[in-house]
Amino acid sequence: MPAYVIVWVQETHDKDEIRAYRKLAFPSMEGHAGAIRVAYGRKSVVEGPEFEGVAMIEFPTYEEAEAWYHSPAYQEAVKHRLGGADCRAVIVEGV
């Protein structure tokens, strides 16, 4: 059953940190079976507060999503995202 890592970015406050995040985040997927499905595409907020952007990565299983998120390579990257933006992330199992 697929699983998804979904990241909402409320607001970026340090673009240099976000650039550092992107340089590390994409290579961190090497060796993991993730596929980017959404990355800051066109959006309409129909419920809740406005936010800057959303990204979603699909993995074949929940365990693979967790393995990538908690990997040392991604944890090095995520420090920069958290230092550069107000955001939330979830791992959710699909149907």
Side-chain angles (χ1 to χ4, degrees):
M1 180 172 308
Y4 303 87
V5 175
I6 304 170
V7 177
W8 291 266
V9 175
Q10 189 65 40
E11 181 181 6
T12 297
H13 48 78
D14 187 331
K15 291 182 181 185
D16 290 335
E17 284 286 343
I18 297 303
R19 278 191 282 277
Y21 166 75
R22 289 184 182 138
K23 285 181 183 178
L24 296 170
F26 293 114
S28 77
M29 293 187 63
E30 195 170 311
H32 296 275
I36 297 171
R37 298 293 183 218
V38 174
Y40 275 74
R42 186 168 79 169
K43 67 176 175 59
S44 296
V45 177
V46 295
E47 292 184 22
E50 182 61 61
F51 62 96
E52 192 175 301
V54 66
M56 181 175 75
I57 304 168
E58 180 180 19
F59 290 86
T61 67
Y62 189 89
E63 292 75 19
E64 289 188 48
E66 281 194 321
W68 169 73
Y69 184 86
H70 295 292
S71 70
Y74 187 67
Q75 287 302 299
E76 182 61 31
V78 81
K79 292 187 300 189
H80 295 285
R81 178 171 52 80
L82 295 174
D86 297 324
C87 48
R88 296 176 60 186
V90 297
I91 299 173
V92 61
E93 195 167 53
V95 294

